[in-house]
Amino acid sequence: MPTLTHVALHVPNLEASIAFFRRYCAMEVFHERPGKGSRIVWMAEPGREREFIFVIMPGGQPRTEQPGDYGHLGFAVASREEVDAIAERARADGCLLWEPRDEPFPVGYYCGVRDPSGQYVEFSYGQPLGPGAQDLPSPE
């Protein structure tokens, strides 16, 4: 059975993306190698380097979301307070997209932030994934 191990992202500004994922997602560069005219980095949450990573490469175009497009990267956090803290940081940094809000299960409490590439990044609490996970109802 296949296992999802990584997402590869082309980004317009490699250093800005590394700084964003460090600041907002607590990810760290744990591997890098030369790339075409720059370098390619692997980032992961500490301790998860063999489970799931971002491969970040320079050369991408800024992402422009279309109306109604909610494509995003999703990160779970351990509390509502952590969602609020991220939103406050993003508000101060000028990259908050969605103020913290509650939605019916399975969405939970979340906010949205725009990374330097224009990618939407969601931080949530109370979804059926990650810290604070609630069980999904059994299919009927």
Side-chain angles (χ1 to χ4, degrees):
M1 168 174 19
T3 299
L4 181 62
T5 59
H6 66 278
V7 170
L9 304 170
H10 266 160
V11 298
N13 184 324
L14 183 64
E15 296 306 323
S17 292
I18 291 169
F20 176 89
F21 288 113
R22 278 187 174 137
R23 179 166 170 75
Y24 284 93
C25 306
M27 298 177 85
E28 292 296 331
V29 174
F30 72 95
H31 171 77
E32 60 183 86
R33 68 186 195 304
K36 294 179 182 178
S38 183
R39 70 189 209 274
I40 296 170
V41 300
W42 290 12
M43 296 188 79
E45 298 165 36
R48 297 198 61 211
E49 296 87 351
R50 292 184 172 270
E51 295 173 33
F52 184 79
I53 68 169
F54 284 176
V55 177
I56 304 177
M57 303 165 282
Q61 298 298 313
R63 183 178 164 133
T64 55
E65 301 292 334
Q66 300 301 312
D69 180 356
Y70 295 101
H72 62 274
L73 301 171
F75 287 83
V77 297
S79 68
R80 294 172 63 92
E81 292 77 19
E82 197 169 344
V83 171
D84 291 338
I86 290 168
E88 184 176 319
R89 186 179 320 139
R91 196 177 300 109
D93 290 346
C95 60
L96 182 65
L97 289 168
W98 312 315
E99 288 287 342
R101 61 186 77 172
D102 267 313
E103 297 284 343
F105 185 79
V107 177
Y109 189 66
Y110 69 98
C111 72
V113 176
R114 182 186 303 273
D115 83 359
S117 301
Q119 174 71 49
Y120 290 8
V121 183
E122 177 190 277
F123 297 91
S124 65
Y125 173 74
Q127 293 186 354
L129 304 162
Q134 298 178 20
D135 290 335
L136 285 171
S138 298
E140 310 222 23

Coordinates of all heavy atoms in Angstrom, one line a residue, residues 18-66:
I18 N 11.4 29.2 3.6 CA 12.0 28.5 4.8 C 11.7 29.3 6.1 O 11.2 28.6 7.0 CB 13.5 28.4 4.6 CG1 13.8 27.4 3.4 CG2 14.2 28.0 5.9 CD1 15.3 27.5 3.0
A19 N 11.8 30.6 6.0 CA 11.5 31.4 7.2 C 10.0 31.2 7.7 O 9.7 31.1 8.9 CB 11.9 32.8 7.0
F20 N 9.1 31.2 6.7 CA 7.7 31.1 7.0 C 7.4 29.7 7.7 O 6.8 29.7 8.7 CB 6.8 31.2 5.7 CG 5.4 30.9 6.0 CD1 4.5 32.0 6.3 CD2 4.8 29.7 5.8 CE1 3.2 31.7 6.6 CE2 3.5 29.4 6.1 CZ 2.7 30.5 6.5
F21 N 7.9 28.6 7.1 CA 7.6 27.3 7.6 C 8.3 27.1 9.0 O 7.7 26.4 9.8 CB 7.9 26.2 6.6 CG 6.9 26.2 5.5 CD1 7.3 26.5 4.2 CD2 5.6 25.9 5.7 CE1 6.4 26.5 3.2 CE2 4.7 25.9 4.7 CZ 5.1 26.2 3.4
R22 N 9.4 27.8 9.2 CA 10.0 27.8 10.6 C 9.1 28.5 11.6 O 8.8 28.0 12.6 CB 11.4 28.4 10.6 CG 12.5 27.5 10.1 CD 13.8 28.2 10.3 NE 14.8 27.2 10.0 CZ 15.9 27.5 9.2 NH1 16.1 28.7 8.8 NH2 16.8 26.5 9.0
R23 N 8.7 29.7 11.2 CA 8.0 30.6 12.1 C 6.6 30.1 12.4 O 6.1 30.2 13.5 CB 7.9 32.0 11.5 CG 7.1 33.0 12.3 CD 7.4 34.5 11.8 NE 6.5 35.5 12.3 CZ 6.6 36.0 13.6 NH1 7.5 35.5 14.4 NH2 5.8 36.9 14.0
Y24 N 5.9 29.7 11.4 CA 4.5 29.3 11.6 C 4.2 27.8 11.8 O 3.3 27.4 12.5 CB 3.6 29.8 10.4 CG 3.4 31.2 10.4 CD1 4.2 32.1 9.8 CD2 2.3 31.8 11.1 CE1 4.0 33.5 9.8 CE2 2.1 33.1 11.2 CZ 2.9 34.0 10.5 OH 2.7 35.3 10.6
C25 N 5.1 27.0 11.3 CA 4.8 25.5 11.3 C 5.8 24.7 12.1 O 5.7 23.5 12.2 CB 4.7 25.0 9.9 SG 3.6 25.8 8.8
A26 N 6.8 25.4 12.8 CA 7.8 24.8 13.6 C 8.5 23.7 12.8 O 9.0 22.7 13.4 CB 7.2 24.2 14.9
M27 N 8.7 23.9 11.5 CA 9.4 22.9 10.7 C 10.9 23.4 10.6 O 11.2 24.6 10.7 CB 8.8 22.8 9.3 CG 7.4 22.3 9.3 SD 6.7 22.3 7.7 CE 7.3 20.7 7.1
E28 N 11.8 22.5 10.4 CA 13.2 22.8 10.3 C 13.8 22.1 9.1 O 13.4 21.1 8.6 CB 14.0 22.3 11.5 CG 13.7 23.1 12.8 CD 14.1 24.5 12.7 OE1 15.0 24.9 12.0 OE2 13.4 25.3 13.4
V29 N 14.8 22.8 8.5 CA 15.6 22.2 7.4 C 16.4 21.1 8.0 O 17.2 21.3 8.9 CB 16.5 23.2 6.7 CG1 17.4 22.5 5.6 CG2 15.6 24.3 6.0
F30 N 16.3 19.9 7.5 CA 17.1 18.8 8.0 C 18.0 18.2 6.9 O 18.9 17.3 7.1 CB 16.3 17.7 8.7 CG 15.5 16.8 7.8 CD1 16.0 15.6 7.3 CD2 14.2 17.2 7.4 CE1 15.2 14.8 6.5 CE2 13.5 16.5 6.5 CZ 14.0 15.2 6.1
H31 N 17.8 18.6 5.6 CA 18.6 18.1 4.5 C 18.6 19.2 3.4 O 17.6 19.8 3.2 CB 18.1 16.8 4.0 CG 18.7 16.4 2.7 ND1 20.0 15.8 2.7 CD2 18.3 16.5 1.4 CE1 20.3 15.5 1.4 NE2 19.3 15.9 0.6
E32 N 19.7 19.4 2.8 CA 19.7 20.3 1.6 C 20.8 19.8 0.6 O 21.7 19.1 1.0 CB 19.9 21.7 2.0 CG 21.2 22.1 2.7 CD 21.2 23.6 3.0 OE1 20.6 23.9 4.1 OE2 21.7 24.3 2.2
R33 N 20.5 20.1 -0.6 CA 21.5 19.7 -1.7 C 21.4 20.7 -2.8 O 20.5 21.5 -2.9 CB 21.2 18.3 -2.2 CG 19.9 18.1 -2.9 CD 19.7 16.6 -3.2 NE 18.7 16.3 -4.2 CZ 17.4 16.6 -4.3 NH1 16.9 17.4 -3.4 NH2 16.6 16.2 -5.2
P34 N 22.5 20.8 -3.6 CA 22.5 21.7 -4.7 C 21.3 21.4 -5.7 O 20.9 20.3 -5.9 CB 23.8 21.5 -5.4 CG 24.7 20.8 -4.4 CD 23.7 20.0 -3.5
G35 N 20.7 22.5 -6.2 CA 19.7 22.4 -7.2 C 20.1 23.2 -8.4 O 21.3 23.6 -8.5
K36 N 19.3 23.4 -9.3 CA 19.6 24.2 -10.5 C 19.8 25.6 -10.2 O 18.8 26.4 -10.0 CB 18.5 24.0 -11.6 CG 18.4 22.6 -12.1 CD 17.2 22.5 -13.1 CE 17.1 21.0 -13.5 NZ 16.0 20.8 -14.5
G37 N 21.0 26.0 -10.0 CA 21.3 27.4 -9.7 C 21.0 27.8 -8.2 O 21.2 29.0 -7.9
S38 N 20.6 26.9 -7.4 CA 20.3 27.3 -6.0 C 20.5 26.0 -5.2 O 21.4 25.3 -5.4 CB 18.9 27.8 -5.9 OG 18.6 28.2 -4.6
R39 N 19.5 25.8 -4.3 CA 19.5 24.6 -3.5 C 18.1 24.1 -3.3 O 17.2 24.8 -3.4 CB 20.3 24.8 -2.2 CG 19.6 25.7 -1.2 CD 20.5 26.0 0.0 NE 19.9 26.2 1.2 CZ 19.4 27.4 1.6 NH1 19.5 28.4 0.8 NH2 18.8 27.5 2.8
I40 N 18.0 22.8 -2.9 CA 16.7 22.2 -2.6 C 16.8 21.8 -1.1 O 17.8 21.2 -0.7 CB 16.5 20.9 -3.5 CG1 16.4 21.4 -5.0 CG2 15.3 20.1 -3.1 CD1 16.5 20.2 -5.9
V41 N 15.8 22.1 -0.4 CA 15.8 21.8 1.0 C 14.6 20.9 1.4 O 13.6 20.9 0.7 CB 15.7 23.1 1.9 CG1 16.8 24.0 1.6 CG2 14.4 23.8 1.7
W42 N 14.9 20.1 2.4 CA 13.8 19.2 2.9 C 13.5 19.8 4.3 O 14.4 20.0 5.1 CB 14.3 17.8 3.1 CG 14.5 17.0 1.8 CD1 14.5 17.6 0.5 CD2 14.7 15.6 1.6 NE1 14.7 16.6 -0.4 CE2 14.9 15.4 0.3 CE3 14.8 14.6 2.5 CZ2 15.1 14.1 -0.2 CZ3 15.1 13.3 2.0 CH2 15.2 13.1 0.7
M43 N 12.3 20.0 4.6 CA 11.8 20.5 5.9 C 10.8 19.5 6.5 O 10.0 18.9 5.8 CB 11.2 21.9 5.8 CG 12.1 22.9 5.3 SD 11.4 24.6 5.4 CE 11.6 24.9 7.2
A44 N 10.9 19.4 7.9 CA 10.0 18.5 8.6 C 9.8 19.1 10.0 O 10.6 19.8 10.5 CB 10.5 17.1 8.6
E45 N 8.7 18.6 10.6 CA 8.6 18.8 12.0 C 9.6 18.0 12.7 O 9.8 16.8 12.3 CB 7.2 18.4 12.5 CG 6.0 19.2 11.8 CD 4.7 18.5 12.0 OE1 4.4 17.9 13.0 OE2 3.9 18.5 11.0
P46 N 10.3 18.5 13.8 CA 11.3 17.7 14.5 C 10.7 16.4 14.9 O 9.6 16.3 15.5 CB 11.7 18.6 15.7 CG 11.4 20.0 15.2 CD 10.2 19.9 14.3
G47 N 11.5 15.3 14.6 CA 11.1 14.0 15.0 C 10.2 13.3 13.9 O 10.0 12.1 14.0
R48 N 9.8 14.0 12.9 CA 9.0 13.4 11.8 C 9.7 13.4 10.5 O 9.1 13.2 9.4 CB 7.7 14.2 11.7 CG 6.8 14.1 12.9 CD 5.4 14.5 12.7 NE 4.8 13.6 11.8 CZ 3.8 14.0 10.9 NH1 3.3 15.2 10.9 NH2 3.3 13.1 10.1
E49 N 11.0 13.5 10.5 CA 11.8 13.5 9.3 C 11.7 12.3 8.4 O 12.0 12.4 7.2 CB 13.3 13.8 9.6 CG 13.6 15.1 10.3 CD 13.4 15.1 11.8 OE1 12.9 14.1 12.4 OE2 13.8 16.1 12.4
R50 N 11.3 11.2 9.0 CA 11.1 10.0 8.2 C 9.7 9.6 7.9 O 9.3 8.6 7.4 CB 11.8 8.8 8.8 CG 13.3 8.9 8.9 CD 14.0 7.7 9.5 NE 15.4 7.8 9.3 CZ 16.1 7.3 8.3 NH1 15.5 6.7 7.3 NH2 17.4 7.4 8.2
E51 N 8.8 10.5 8.3 CA 7.3 10.3 8.1 C 6.7 11.2 7.0 O 6.1 10.7 6.1 CB 6.6 10.6 9.4 CG 6.9 9.7 10.5 CD 6.3 10.1 11.8 OE1 5.2 10.7 11.8 OE2 6.9 9.9 12.9
F52 N 6.9 12.5 7.1 CA 6.3 13.4 6.1 C 7.1 14.7 6.1 O 7.4 15.3 7.1 CB 4.9 13.7 6.5 CG 4.2 14.5 5.4 CD1 3.8 14.0 4.3 CD2 4.1 15.9 5.6 CE1 3.2 14.7 3.3 CE2 3.5 16.7 4.6 CZ 3.0 16.1 3.5
I53 N 7.5 15.1 4.8 CA 8.3 16.3 4.7 C 7.8 17.2 3.6 O 7.0 16.7 2.7 CB 9.8 15.9 4.4 CG1 10.0 15.3 3.0 CG2 10.4 15.0 5.5 CD1 11.4 15.1 2.6
F54 N 8.3 18.4 3.5 CA 8.2 19.3 2.4 C 9.5 19.4 1.7 O 10.6 19.6 2.4 CB 7.8 20.7 2.8 CG 6.4 20.9 3.3 CD1 6.0 22.2 3.8 CD2 5.5 20.0 3.2 CE1 4.7 22.4 4.2 CE2 4.2 20.2 3.6 CZ 3.8 21.4 4.1
V55 N 9.5 19.2 0.4 CA 10.7 19.4 -0.4 C 10.5 20.7 -1.1 O 9.5 20.9 -1.8 CB 10.9 18.3 -1.5 CG1 12.0 18.6 -2.4 CG2 11.0 16.9 -0.9
I56 N 11.3 21.7 -0.8 CA 11.1 23.1 -1.2 C 12.2 23.4 -2.2 O 13.4 23.3 -1.9 CB 11.0 24.1 0.0 CG1 10.0 23.6 0.9 CG2 10.8 25.5 -0.5 CD1 9.8 24.4 2.2
M57 N 11.8 23.9 -3.4 CA 12.7 24.2 -4.5 C 12.4 25.6 -5.0 O 11.3 26.0 -5.1 CB 12.5 23.2 -5.6 CG 12.6 21.7 -5.2 SD 11.9 20.6 -6.4 CE 10.2 20.7 -6.1
P58 N 13.5 26.3 -5.4 CA 13.3 27.6 -5.9 C 12.7 27.6 -7.4 O 12.9 26.5 -8.0 CB 14.7 28.3 -5.9 CG 15.6 27.1 -6.0 CD 14.9 25.9 -5.3
G59 N 12.2 28.7 -7.8 CA 11.8 28.8 -9.2 C 10.3 28.8 -9.5 O 9.9 28.8 -10.6
G60 N 9.5 28.7 -8.5 CA 8.0 28.7 -8.7 C 7.5 30.1 -8.9 O 8.1 31.1 -8.7
Q61 N 6.3 30.1 -9.4 CA 5.5 31.3 -9.6 C 4.6 31.5 -8.4 O 4.1 30.6 -7.8 CB 4.7 31.2 -10.9 CG 5.5 31.1 -12.1 CD 6.4 32.2 -12.4 OE1 5.9 33.4 -12.3 NE2 7.6 32.0 -12.7
P62 N 4.4 32.8 -8.0 CA 3.4 33.0 -6.9 C 2.1 32.4 -7.3 O 1.6 32.5 -8.4 CB 3.3 34.6 -6.8 CG 4.6 35.1 -7.5 CD 4.9 34.0 -8.5
R63 N 1.5 31.8 -6.3 CA 0.1 31.2 -6.5 C -0.9 32.3 -6.3 O -0.9 33.1 -5.4 CB -0.1 30.1 -5.4 CG -1.4 29.4 -5.6 CD -1.6 28.3 -4.6 NE -3.0 28.0 -4.6 CZ -3.5 26.7 -4.7 NH1 -2.6 25.7 -4.7 NH2 -4.8 26.5 -4.7
T64 N -1.8 32.3 -7.3 CA -3.0 33.2 -7.2 C -4.2 32.4 -7.1 O -4.5 31.6 -7.9 CB -3.0 34.1 -8.4 OG1 -3.1 33.3 -9.6 CG2 -1.8 35.1 -8.5
E65 N -4.9 32.6 -6.0 CA -6.2 31.8 -5.7 C -7.3 32.4 -6.5 O -7.4 33.6 -6.7 CB -6.5 31.9 -4.2 CG -5.5 31.3 -3.3 CD -5.3 29.8 -3.5 OE1 -6.3 29.1 -3.9 OE2 -4.2 29.3 -3.2
Q66 N -8.1 31.6 -7.1 CA -9.3 32.0 -7.8 C -10.5 32.1 -6.8 O -10.5 31.4 -5.8 CB -9.6 31.0 -8.9 CG -8.5 30.9 -9.9 CD -8.2 32.2 -10.6 OE1 -9.1 32.9 -11.0 NE2 -6.9 32.6 -10.6

